[in-house]
Amino acid sequence: DAGVTQSPTHLIKTRGQQVTLRCSPKSGHDTVSWYQQALGQGPQFIFQYYEEEERQRGNFPDRFSGHQFPNYSSELNVNALLLGDSALYLCASSLGIWGEYEQYFGPGTRLTVT
Amino acid sequence: AQTVTQSQPEMSVQEAETVTLSCTYDTSESDYYLFWYKQPPSRQMILVIRQEAYKQQNATENRFSVNFQKAAKSFSLKISDSQLGDAAMYFCARNQFYFGTGTSLTVIP
């Protein structure tokens, strides 16, 4: 079992550009959540996808959007990048959307906006 | 507010000793779940221990145990017989969405 995988590992973008990050969940998991983790901070919840729909959303602007595919993999898209979007983006998968389920995290994508 | 607070940004412990990491949270819900996650320097976060709020008994996983005080909304993590591999950032979380700011644990040989 490969666990949760994310690509790319690192990414450098220019302010104003758009970026797409990808996540493959752990085998058997149907729910994917995305988090933004600034340096030295805890993960901030962006949104959660289940059955190809956004189920929950944190306090992030519409520039952050996502998608879930029939195979449960997911993408995070960020438009009009700002310097403040520089962070580690974590993907986590679980079996179900309810709060009691353990999440398995990927290694993250380090996004740098210059 | 749905906040999780970790008041200790950094902690250190001698190898083989015991350390306790603190966490408090705020919620109006009666049923919820609490987690401690560990994030080693390699970044991949892993689950340490999980507690169901409706259970009175404190969860235990080998050297890791929690002190869950529901009325006080407190959820501390105790690490016994600390090992060098325990050095990491530790995050307290409520349900799947609410994480604290973390405690950096250093283990001194």
Side-chain angles (χ1 to χ4, degrees):
Chain A
D1 183 5
V4 179
T5 60
Q6 293 185 243
S7 63
T9 304
H10 296 87
L11 203 53
I12 299 174
K13 289 287 189 177
T14 302
R15 189 172 49 183
Q17 287 187 318
Q18 179 264 344
V19 68
T20 297
L21 310 182
R22 295 177 176 83
C23 171
S24 291
K26 178 179 169 62
S27 177
H29 285 183
D30 56 9
T31 302
V32 173
S33 300
W34 286 92
Y35 296 84
Q36 180 193 68
Q37 186 178 20
L39 198 61
Q41 300 296 314
Q44 296 292 313
F45 173 67
I46 302 175
F47 44 55
Q48 179 188 67
Y49 276 84
Y50 173 71
E51 291 186 338
E52 301 180 50
E53 290 188 8
E54 183 182 294
R55 298 290 177 161
Q56 298 271 358
R57 188 177 183 93
N59 188 26
F60 278 80
D62 292 344
R63 298 187 298 108
F64 290 78
S65 63
H67 188 78
Q68 186 179 35
F69 299 93
N71 67 353
Y72 307 121
S73 67
S74 177
E75 288 182 349
L76 163 66
N77 301 293
V78 187
N79 294 322
L81 284 166
L82 304 174
L83 295 179
D85 295 332
S86 295
L88 181 68
Y89 288 84
L90 296 173
C91 168
S93 72
S94 59
L95 186 61
I97 62 173
W98 305 113
E100 70 265 33
Y101 292 113
E102 172 188 354
Q103 293 189 98
Y104 289 77
F105 284 82
T109 293
R110 171 70 65 188
L111 173 64
T112 302
V113 182
T114 62
Chain B
Q2 309 275 14
T3 56
V4 177
T5 302
Q6 295 180 248
S7 59
Q8 306 155 316
E10 297 178 348
M11 291 283 286
S12 62
V13 61
Q14 291 286 144
E15 195 175 1
E17 296 297 310
T18 296
V19 64
T20 299
L21 309 184
S22 301
C23 172
T24 58
Y25 57 92
D26 189 16
T27 182
S28 55
E29 299 173 1
S30 57
D31 286 335
Y32 49 89
Y33 296 80
L34 297 166
F35 303 87
W36 278 98
Y37 285 93
K38 170 185 177 181
Q39 189 177 39
S42 63
R43 299 181 309 183
Q44 197 142 4
M45 199 160 340
I46 57 174
L47 178 70
V48 174
I49 198 164
R50 171 180 178 272
Q51 174 79 42
E52 298 156 4
Y54 63 87
K55 286 190 175 179
Q56 299 282 352
Q57 187 173 4
N58 289 325
T60 300
E61 286 287 341
N62 300 315
R63 299 182 294 108
F64 299 87
S65 62
V66 299
N67 183 4
F68 173 48
Q69 302 290 328
K70 190 172 184 179
K73 296 181 181 175
S74 170
F75 181 60
S76 61
L77 174 70
K78 186 171 81 171
I79 306 174
S80 303
D81 186 26
S82 297
Q83 300 175 0
L84 295 178
D86 294 334
M89 283 290 291
Y90 286 82
F91 293 97
C92 175
R94 187 179 71 78
N95 289 352
Q96 291 181 342
F97 310 128
Y98 309 107
F99 282 75
T101 53
T103 296
S104 177
L105 179 66
T106 300
V107 180
I108 303 167

